[in-house]
Amino acid sequence: MTALGLMGIGLLATCDPQLGRGPLGLVDNAALVVDRGLIVYAGPAAGAPRDTDGWRDLDGRCVLPGFVDSHTHLIFAGDRVDEFSLRMAGRPYRPGGILDTVAATRAASRSDLAGRARRLVDQALRSGTTTVEIKTGYGLTPAHEAAHLEIARALTREVTFLGAHLVPPEFAADRSGYLRLLTDTMIPAAATAGSARWCDVFCEAGAFDVHESRAVLDAASRHGLGLRVHANQLGPGGGVALACEMGAASADHCTHLTPADVDELAGSNTVATLLPISDFCTRQPYPDGRALLAAGVTIALASNCNPGSSYSTSLPLALALAVRECGLTIDQAILAATRGGAAALQRPDVGRLSPGSRADAIILDAPDPAHLVYRLGAPLVSAVLKDGAWAWKGPLS
Ligand code: NIG
């Protein structure tokens, strides 16, 4: 790919504090030059190289890194709108609803599942998501999970095996049999086929207890998969401590944290991934993001798109909730959805606009990234650059 230059950037949020002012590394009157999928220049327009093949004038728009959504469950069929409606009327969220989606997903064709997942990835792109992690977990048999891993692999390199989402109905009377299937067959297969990079476990009352979750993570680690944990979503529990003990890249949800959990996170390299859209949709309290940051914890913000607890791909919505309900400043929320997501996926090449990083950027129809929260619900994303090419052009075209 030849070099492309973006000029007329009213405000560039590099998310690299070394490149500009404040935590977002802001540069006024900026230019961005990309070549072969990477950023080669991000800074004041006056200092930009002149020898690009083509310049695009952004007419004062603001540019920021593409969002890194480090937690989604996109391989599913059907929906659970009836369950959602009951919940909005006051019924509590229960993990058991997952099995309704397992039944619908097992009955769906592979092409149907692939098409649905592709449409969700495209939808996410149009709201600025350029890197997405995708979990399996609605198949729960060796054959279904293997097929779902392949579907995910065609859409992203950040694929997570979540066979330990729930014990499937055919193993209801034999939990240890399903755990053996996971540790001895499904995890080795997910790792050997090279289709999964990560393994996750839903560590929660009603899903997998700490002892079972440790067995899953142990097997995954032995087979070379990186670790992630659904932790402390519906109540306090040992998920966060387990994630930190096992060196998981991320502990996700973190809705119900004790002071000891916060200390564990602060003393580890495990990122706390907040999923406020699911807290909204399940009527849970919101995690105290401000307290986590004050303790020195790295936080990420993700959509958790799935048909049960959070049927949304919108990181702008997650930003607004994180600011209003988790106590983050707008800058902190934007960093959590970019740099934080990259940290949760251990991807130093995304989540910032610095020379050498992937040229994944959002062009915003607004003068400042804070407008993403200020004008909540408005479709402000004008265009999206992915790997240095226009992946979506809306109002910019
Ligand atoms: O992260 N908690 C487990 N998994 C999903 C919910 C899945 C569902 O309800 O279908 C989550 O919220």
Side-chain angles (χ1 to χ4, degrees):
M1 183 173 309
T2 53
L4 165 72
L6 301 181
M7 58 186 280
I9 302 174
L11 187 63
L12 175 66
T14 61
C15 291
D16 182 341
Q18 294 187 339
L19 295 183
R21 70 196 147 77
L24 294 185
L26 296 172
V27 183
D28 301 295
N29 303 320
L32 198 65
V33 180
V34 313
D35 193 19
R36 284 172 273 254
L38 302 178
I39 306 286
V40 293
Y41 179 81
R50 298 280 143 214
D51 54 346
T52 58
D53 294 346
W55 285 98
R56 174 76 205 223
D57 188 347
L58 297 184
D59 213 12
R61 288 180 174 86
C62 152
V63 174
L64 69 156
F67 295 128
V68 180
D69 189 348
S70 61
H71 185 132
T72 79
H73 307 247
L74 301 187
I75 317 295
F76 64 86
D79 65 46
R80 309 219 301 269
V81 67
D82 295 342
E83 178 193 316
F84 177 78
S85 303
L86 287 172
R87 218 159 48 232
M88 292 302 104
R91 182 184 282 192
Y93 172 80
R94 300 260 183 257
I98 291 170
L99 293 181
D100 293 342
T101 301
V102 169
T105 305
R106 285 179 179 178
S109 70
R110 191 188 174 112
S111 63
D112 183 24
L113 293 174
R116 284 164 176 270
R118 159 54 62 199
R119 286 195 291 281
L120 288 169
V121 169
D122 286 347
Q123 190 184 86
L125 181 80
R126 291 195 297 274
S127 62
T129 297
T130 48
T131 301
V132 65
E133 178 262 16
I134 302 179
K135 301 176 200 300
T136 65
Y138 292 117
L140 309 185
T141 69
H144 285 105
E145 287 292 315
H148 300 176
L149 284 171
E150 273 180 38
I151 293 170
R153 191 71 186 91
L155 296 169
T156 184
R157 59 195 255 204
E158 302 302 337
V159 175
T160 301
F161 172 71
L162 181 58
H165 201 184
L166 222 58
V167 172
E170 60 276 18
F171 279 91
D174 182 18
R175 292 182 69 81
S176 52
Y178 186 61
L179 265 171
R180 267 198 311 280
L181 184 65
L182 280 171
T183 57
D184 299 357
T185 304
M186 293 166 82
I187 288 172
T192 309
S195 44
R197 179 174 179 218
W198 305 99
C199 179
D200 199 339
V201 57
F202 184 14
C203 182
E204 191 83 35
F208 293 87
D209 67 23
V210 170
H211 178 72
E212 294 167 334
S213 300
R214 185 182 279 109
V216 168
L217 298 174
D218 259 334
S221 188
R222 275 200 311 279
H223 287 91
L225 295 174
L227 309 182
R228 329 186 65 75
V229 181
H230 279 67
N232 301 44
Q233 175 183 6
L234 303 172
V240 163
L242 180 68
C244 297
E245 172 201 322
M246 302 284 297
S250 179
D252 296 46
H253 285 284
C254 294
T255 301
H256 298 270
L257 296 180
T258 62
D261 291 321
V262 176
D263 287 347
E264 292 277 3
L265 286 162
S268 75
N269 291 323
T270 300
V271 173
T273 298
L274 310 187
L275 309 169
I277 305 176
S278 36
D279 300 315
F280 176 90
C281 293
T282 57
R283 292 177 163 282
Q284 289 283 305
Y286 291 89
D288 188 345
R290 187 184 300 171
L292 286 166
L293 286 177
V297 177
T298 302
I299 64 173
L301 204 52
S303 74
N304 189 21
C305 180
N306 76 79
S309 67
S310 176
Y311 201 171
S312 170
T313 53
S314 173
L315 263 303
L317 173 59
L319 290 179
L321 290 172
V323 169
R324 186 66 182 77
E325 304 291 349
C326 304
L328 302 188
T329 65
I330 295 177
D331 287 0
Q332 288 166 345
I334 290 170
L335 284 173
T338 51
R339 292 284 289 261
L345 292 173
Q346 299 180 342
R347 287 282 305 273
D349 59 327
V350 294
R352 73 183 83 184
L353 296 172
S354 343
S357 56
R358 310 263 2 135
D360 295 349
I362 301 171
I363 290 73
L364 214 58
D365 204 3
D368 188 298
H371 281 233
L372 280 164
V373 175
Y374 173 45
R375 297 176 60 192
L376 74 170
L380 294 182
V381 176
S382 287
V384 179
L385 206 61
K386 166 113 182 103
D387 294 326
W390 294 110
W392 185 67
K393 268 194 197 173
L396 189 65
S397 45

